Amino acid sequence: MNLRTRLDSTRAPLSWDVIVVGGGPCGAAAAWSLAGRGWRVGLVDRQAFPREKVCGDALLPDALHALRRLALADEVFKAGHRVSSLSIVTPGGRELRVPGEFLTLRREVLDAILHRGAVRAGAEAIQAEAVAVFETGRRVRVEFRSLPPIEARTCILATGAETRLVQAFEGVAPVPPTAIASRRYIRSGHSLDRLMVTYDRGLGPAYAWIFPLGGGWFNVGVGSLWGARLARDHPALFDRFTALCPEARAVMAAGEASGPLRSAPLRCGLDERVLRPGRLCLAAGELAASTFPFTGEGIGKALETGLLAAEAVGGFLSGDERGLEAYGPAVRQLEPKYRAYHAAHRLLNHPRLMELAAWRLNRSPWLAARLAAVLREEEDPRALFSVSGLLTSFFR
Ligand SMILES: Cc1cc2nc3c(=O)[nH]c(=O)nc-3n(C[C@H](O)[C@H](O)[C@H](O)COP(=O)(O)OP(=O)(O)OC[C@H]3O[C@@H](n4cnc5c(N)ncnc54)[C@H](O)[C@@H]3O)c2cc1C
């Protein structure tokens, strides 16, 4: 019997141990973890998978690390395109190359692999738009636009930059999106051996990227701070980028765009106020602003916070009444990992310091190795992004 028939034929709402709302990387990781431990998990998304998600499609080392924990790295590596360095172009046009393990894969494919992984582990996929979540005594009730309500013992909200469901909880006021970014797919004969992110001052208060996807495809995009003038005119910003940056010009000259420039908001920098919107509900992923500032990279921390939420929910479902309380402190432990990105973001306001840091990084193998280790999250970013870190590098 399919879900709709089951819902229509029962007078009381169907009940799960946990309902995960949002089937992106965060929700899929949480559902995979809980279903794998034998809990009854409903994984809700308003869209059917595979579905498109506006993104740069780049997986940085923290995302690859999380995928290995999910035992899905092999499948993702097989589908993706490996890249072994990342270039960061400073506002003054200096290019820094950071070696590392990177992968690109269209989100349509990545998210379908993750969603399928969760279903394979035992989660039940429910395609419906959740319109309200509220707690009734010891249960959570989720209401939908097109299905009868369902109930669960607990709930993980993982709706990305969409904050409507948590806003309805009393006293929860999530910060609005912090940035907006847009991407376009280009098929081109040009070849590029690295991921490129640029903060060239010619773009204004904005950044842009070119990520090779393999097979002659590129993800080319621009991002700007929420509320900045440029956020309203991304097509013009995109044109400026592809005229200004030699690599982007070369990609465009040898290629053609497939589909329109598409935009989406980002929530960056961790928003602790939404982690626990209710007694029985947790919020994770981009909804909790888990995306990194400066680069807008968020898949890795969406996966990681999803797994942390699952850990706390697992404890609660096993009988630990205070299990959900472990989630906030666990997420706060990630905070140092955001410091490098906050520091780099702040450097953008000090262009001379940024040029000095970039100049130094290009000359110091010690500093370049530290930066690669920070990206792999093997080193505390304070060793690098501090005045003392920079000074130390002059003696190495
Ligand atoms: C243009 C752009 C470029 C980016 N580039 C990169 C990049 O290269 N690398 C990187 O790591 N990160 C990148 N990011 C950030 C990355 O996309 C996010 O951090 C990541 O998708 C967050 O995952 P998530 O699972 O928390 O949310 P999402 O991936 O947004 O998933 C949320 C899911 O919830 C569903 N949903 C929402 N509301 C409801 C509802 N009411 N009912 C049911 N379902 C609902 C949605 O359909 C969606 O499937 C980029 C973002 C943008 C906008």
Side-chain angles (χ1 to χ4, degrees), residues 233-252:
D233 199 4
H234 273 200
L237 178 60
F238 186 88
D239 289 346
R240 185 155 354 133
F241 170 50
T242 51
L244 178 99
C245 165
E247 285 292 356
R249 223 171 29 236
V251 168
M252 298 306 284

PDB file of all heavy atoms in Angstrom, residues 233-252:
ATOM      1  N   ASP A 233      21.385  42.500  -9.506  1.00  0.00           N
ATOM      2  CA  ASP A 233      21.723  42.499 -10.924  1.00  0.00           C
ATOM      3  C   ASP A 233      22.807  41.476 -11.246  1.00  0.00           C
ATOM      4  O   ASP A 233      23.852  41.806 -11.807  1.00  0.00           O
ATOM      5  CB  ASP A 233      22.150  43.908 -11.342  1.00  0.00           C
ATOM      6  CG  ASP A 233      22.052  44.071 -12.856  1.00  0.00           C
ATOM      7  OD1 ASP A 233      21.585  43.125 -13.507  1.00  0.00           O
ATOM      8  OD2 ASP A 233      22.474  45.108 -13.374  1.00  0.00           O
ATOM      9  N   HIS A 234      22.549  40.244 -10.899  1.00  0.00           N
ATOM     10  CA  HIS A 234      23.544  39.206 -11.156  1.00  0.00           C
ATOM     11  C   HIS A 234      23.828  38.962 -12.639  1.00  0.00           C
ATOM     12  O   HIS A 234      24.971  38.649 -12.975  1.00  0.00           O
ATOM     13  CB  HIS A 234      23.156  37.923 -10.428  1.00  0.00           C
ATOM     14  CG  HIS A 234      23.665  37.909  -9.020  1.00  0.00           C
ATOM     15  ND1 HIS A 234      23.807  36.767  -8.291  1.00  0.00           N
ATOM     16  CD2 HIS A 234      24.102  38.916  -8.230  1.00  0.00           C
ATOM     17  CE1 HIS A 234      24.295  37.071  -7.100  1.00  0.00           C
ATOM     18  NE2 HIS A 234      24.463  38.364  -7.035  1.00  0.00           N
ATOM     19  N   PRO A 235      22.833  39.116 -13.538  1.00  0.00           N
ATOM     20  CA  PRO A 235      23.205  38.931 -14.954  1.00  0.00           C
ATOM     21  C   PRO A 235      24.303  39.919 -15.376  1.00  0.00           C
ATOM     22  O   PRO A 235      25.251  39.539 -16.061  1.00  0.00           O
ATOM     23  CB  PRO A 235      21.891  39.195 -15.700  1.00  0.00           C
ATOM     24  CG  PRO A 235      20.841  38.799 -14.705  1.00  0.00           C
ATOM     25  CD  PRO A 235      21.384  39.228 -13.365  1.00  0.00           C
ATOM     26  N   ALA A 236      24.215  41.176 -14.910  1.00  0.00           N
ATOM     27  CA  ALA A 236      25.248  42.173 -15.275  1.00  0.00           C
ATOM     28  C   ALA A 236      26.573  41.809 -14.608  1.00  0.00           C
ATOM     29  O   ALA A 236      27.647  41.941 -15.213  1.00  0.00           O
ATOM     30  CB  ALA A 236      24.803  43.578 -14.848  1.00  0.00           C
ATOM     31  N   LEU A 237      26.505  41.329 -13.358  1.00  0.00           N
ATOM     32  CA  LEU A 237      27.727  40.933 -12.647  1.00  0.00           C
ATOM     33  C   LEU A 237      28.384  39.740 -13.367  1.00  0.00           C
ATOM     34  O   LEU A 237      29.608  39.687 -13.529  1.00  0.00           O
ATOM     35  CB  LEU A 237      27.375  40.558 -11.205  1.00  0.00           C
ATOM     36  CG  LEU A 237      28.519  40.070 -10.317  1.00  0.00           C
ATOM     37  CD1 LEU A 237      29.606  41.132 -10.180  1.00  0.00           C
ATOM     38  CD2 LEU A 237      27.989  39.690  -8.926  1.00  0.00           C
ATOM     39  N   PHE A 238      27.542  38.821 -13.808  1.00  0.00           N
ATOM     40  CA  PHE A 238      28.051  37.647 -14.531  1.00  0.00           C
ATOM     41  C   PHE A 238      28.763  38.097 -15.817  1.00  0.00           C
ATOM     42  O   PHE A 238      29.868  37.652 -16.130  1.00  0.00           O
ATOM     43  CB  PHE A 238      26.885  36.706 -14.861  1.00  0.00           C
ATOM     44  CG  PHE A 238      27.304  35.402 -15.464  1.00  0.00           C
ATOM     45  CD1 PHE A 238      27.627  34.320 -14.658  1.00  0.00           C
ATOM     46  CD2 PHE A 238      27.385  35.244 -16.843  1.00  0.00           C
ATOM     47  CE1 PHE A 238      28.022  33.102 -15.210  1.00  0.00           C
ATOM     48  CE2 PHE A 238      27.781  34.043 -17.402  1.00  0.00           C
ATOM     49  CZ  PHE A 238      28.101  32.968 -16.587  1.00  0.00           C
ATOM     50  N   ASP A 239      28.136  39.041 -16.545  1.00  0.00           N
ATOM     51  CA  ASP A 239      28.750  39.535 -17.794  1.00  0.00           C
ATOM     52  C   ASP A 239      30.071  40.227 -17.487  1.00  0.00           C
ATOM     53  O   ASP A 239      31.047  40.084 -18.217  1.00  0.00           O
ATOM     54  CB  ASP A 239      27.815  40.522 -18.504  1.00  0.00           C
ATOM     55  CG  ASP A 239      26.614  39.796 -19.101  1.00  0.00           C
ATOM     56  OD1 ASP A 239      26.670  38.553 -19.195  1.00  0.00           O
ATOM     57  OD2 ASP A 239      25.621  40.461 -19.445  1.00  0.00           O
ATOM     58  N   ARG A 240      30.094  40.999 -16.377  1.00  0.00           N
ATOM     59  CA  ARG A 240      31.324  41.699 -16.022  1.00  0.00           C
ATOM     60  C   ARG A 240      32.442  40.687 -15.721  1.00  0.00           C
ATOM     61  O   ARG A 240      33.565  40.828 -16.141  1.00  0.00           O
ATOM     62  CB  ARG A 240      31.087  42.598 -14.795  1.00  0.00           C
ATOM     63  CG  ARG A 240      32.313  43.414 -14.480  1.00  0.00           C
ATOM     64  CD  ARG A 240      32.055  44.702 -13.725  1.00  0.00           C
ATOM     65  NE  ARG A 240      30.656  45.006 -13.536  1.00  0.00           N
ATOM     66  CZ  ARG A 240      30.130  45.383 -12.389  1.00  0.00           C
ATOM     67  NH1 ARG A 240      30.874  45.471 -11.318  1.00  0.00           N
ATOM     68  NH2 ARG A 240      28.860  45.678 -12.288  1.00  0.00           N
ATOM     69  N   PHE A 241      32.075  39.627 -14.974  1.00  0.00           N
ATOM     70  CA  PHE A 241      33.064  38.599 -14.619  1.00  0.00           C
ATOM     71  C   PHE A 241      33.623  37.926 -15.872  1.00  0.00           C
ATOM     72  O   PHE A 241      34.837  37.765 -16.032  1.00  0.00           O
ATOM     73  CB  PHE A 241      32.395  37.565 -13.701  1.00  0.00           C
ATOM     74  CG  PHE A 241      33.212  36.334 -13.457  1.00  0.00           C
ATOM     75  CD1 PHE A 241      34.548  36.425 -13.067  1.00  0.00           C
ATOM     76  CD2 PHE A 241      32.652  35.070 -13.619  1.00  0.00           C
ATOM     77  CE1 PHE A 241      35.305  35.277 -12.841  1.00  0.00           C
ATOM     78  CE2 PHE A 241      33.413  33.928 -13.398  1.00  0.00           C
ATOM     79  CZ  PHE A 241      34.735  34.036 -13.019  1.00  0.00           C
ATOM     80  N   THR A 242      32.720  37.568 -16.790  1.00  0.00           N
ATOM     81  CA  THR A 242      33.194  36.812 -17.958  1.00  0.00           C
ATOM     82  C   THR A 242      33.940  37.715 -18.942  1.00  0.00           C
ATOM     83  O   THR A 242      34.616  37.227 -19.844  1.00  0.00           O
ATOM     84  CB  THR A 242      32.026  36.078 -18.660  1.00  0.00           C
ATOM     85  OG1 THR A 242      30.981  37.019 -18.896  1.00  0.00           O
ATOM     86  CG2 THR A 242      31.505  34.947 -17.801  1.00  0.00           C
ATOM     87  N   ALA A 243      33.833  39.048 -18.756  1.00  0.00           N
ATOM     88  CA  ALA A 243      34.636  39.953 -19.595  1.00  0.00           C
ATOM     89  C   ALA A 243      35.988  40.226 -18.927  1.00  0.00           C
ATOM     90  O   ALA A 243      37.013  40.353 -19.589  1.00  0.00           O
ATOM     91  CB  ALA A 243      33.880  41.267 -19.817  1.00  0.00           C
ATOM     92  N   LEU A 244      35.974  40.283 -17.599  1.00  0.00           N
ATOM     93  CA  LEU A 244      37.151  40.723 -16.831  1.00  0.00           C
ATOM     94  C   LEU A 244      38.187  39.615 -16.596  1.00  0.00           C
ATOM     95  O   LEU A 244      39.387  39.845 -16.676  1.00  0.00           O
ATOM     96  CB  LEU A 244      36.611  41.207 -15.483  1.00  0.00           C
ATOM     97  CG  LEU A 244      37.538  41.704 -14.414  1.00  0.00           C
ATOM     98  CD1 LEU A 244      37.556  43.235 -14.453  1.00  0.00           C
ATOM     99  CD2 LEU A 244      37.057  41.261 -13.043  1.00  0.00           C
ATOM    100  N   CYS A 245      37.723  38.411 -16.302  1.00  0.00           N
ATOM    101  CA  CYS A 245      38.630  37.330 -15.887  1.00  0.00           C
ATOM    102  C   CYS A 245      39.079  36.539 -17.123  1.00  0.00           C
ATOM    103  O   CYS A 245      38.237  36.001 -17.854  1.00  0.00           O
ATOM    104  CB  CYS A 245      37.884  36.428 -14.898  1.00  0.00           C
ATOM    105  SG  CYS A 245      38.685  34.845 -14.631  1.00  0.00           S
ATOM    106  N   PRO A 246      40.388  36.480 -17.374  1.00  0.00           N
ATOM    107  CA  PRO A 246      40.862  35.812 -18.590  1.00  0.00           C
ATOM    108  C   PRO A 246      40.380  34.357 -18.711  1.00  0.00           C
ATOM    109  O   PRO A 246      39.983  33.936 -19.802  1.00  0.00           O
ATOM    110  CB  PRO A 246      42.397  35.875 -18.460  1.00  0.00           C
ATOM    111  CG  PRO A 246      42.660  36.973 -17.495  1.00  0.00           C
ATOM    112  CD  PRO A 246      41.478  37.065 -16.595  1.00  0.00           C
ATOM    113  N   GLU A 247      40.386  33.610 -17.602  1.00  0.00           N
ATOM    114  CA  GLU A 247      39.953  32.210 -17.682  1.00  0.00           C
ATOM    115  C   GLU A 247      38.461  32.123 -18.035  1.00  0.00           C
ATOM    116  O   GLU A 247      38.054  31.283 -18.823  1.00  0.00           O
ATOM    117  CB  GLU A 247      40.195  31.484 -16.351  1.00  0.00           C
ATOM    118  CG  GLU A 247      41.637  31.123 -16.079  1.00  0.00           C
ATOM    119  CD  GLU A 247      42.201  30.046 -17.017  1.00  0.00           C
ATOM    120  OE1 GLU A 247      41.457  29.509 -17.855  1.00  0.00           O
ATOM    121  OE2 GLU A 247      43.406  29.772 -16.906  1.00  0.00           O
ATOM    122  N   ALA A 248      37.660  33.013 -17.412  1.00  0.00           N
ATOM    123  CA  ALA A 248      36.218  32.996 -17.693  1.00  0.00           C
ATOM    124  C   ALA A 248      35.970  33.410 -19.143  1.00  0.00           C
ATOM    125  O   ALA A 248      35.103  32.832 -19.830  1.00  0.00           O
ATOM    126  CB  ALA A 248      35.490  33.937 -16.738  1.00  0.00           C
ATOM    127  N   ARG A 249      36.760  34.387 -19.610  1.00  0.00           N
ATOM    128  CA  ARG A 249      36.620  34.832 -20.998  1.00  0.00           C
ATOM    129  C   ARG A 249      36.921  33.661 -21.944  1.00  0.00           C
ATOM    130  O   ARG A 249      36.209  33.429 -22.908  1.00  0.00           O
ATOM    131  CB  ARG A 249      37.601  35.983 -21.246  1.00  0.00           C
ATOM    132  CG  ARG A 249      36.985  37.093 -22.034  1.00  0.00           C
ATOM    133  CD  ARG A 249      37.803  38.348 -22.149  1.00  0.00           C
ATOM    134  NE  ARG A 249      39.233  38.203 -22.089  1.00  0.00           N
ATOM    135  CZ  ARG A 249      40.002  38.838 -21.215  1.00  0.00           C
ATOM    136  NH1 ARG A 249      39.462  39.636 -20.330  1.00  0.00           N
ATOM    137  NH2 ARG A 249      41.304  38.696 -21.235  1.00  0.00           N
ATOM    138  N   ALA A 250      37.987  32.917 -21.599  1.00  0.00           N
ATOM    139  CA  ALA A 250      38.390  31.795 -22.464  1.00  0.00           C
ATOM    140  C   ALA A 250      37.308  30.702 -22.464  1.00  0.00           C
ATOM    141  O   ALA A 250      36.994  30.135 -23.511  1.00  0.00           O
ATOM    142  CB  ALA A 250      39.721  31.231 -21.979  1.00  0.00           C
ATOM    143  N   VAL A 251      36.737  30.415 -21.288  1.00  0.00           N
ATOM    144  CA  VAL A 251      35.670  29.399 -21.218  1.00  0.00           C
ATOM    145  C   VAL A 251      34.485  29.829 -22.086  1.00  0.00           C
ATOM    146  O   VAL A 251      33.943  29.038 -22.872  1.00  0.00           O
ATOM    147  CB  VAL A 251      35.221  29.178 -19.750  1.00  0.00           C
ATOM    148  CG1 VAL A 251      33.932  28.371 -19.674  1.00  0.00           C
ATOM    149  CG2 VAL A 251      36.320  28.483 -18.938  1.00  0.00           C
ATOM    150  N   MET A 252      34.104  31.114 -21.962  1.00  0.00           N
ATOM    151  CA  MET A 252      32.934  31.599 -22.712  1.00  0.00           C
ATOM    152  C   MET A 252      33.218  31.651 -24.208  1.00  0.00           C
ATOM    153  O   MET A 252      32.363  31.301 -25.024  1.00  0.00           O
ATOM    154  CB  MET A 252      32.518  32.998 -22.227  1.00  0.00           C
ATOM    155  CG  MET A 252      32.083  33.068 -20.784  1.00  0.00           C
ATOM    156  SD  MET A 252      30.777  31.916 -20.330  1.00  0.00           S
ATOM    157  CE  MET A 252      29.340  32.698 -21.033  1.00  0.00           C
TER     158      MET A 252
END
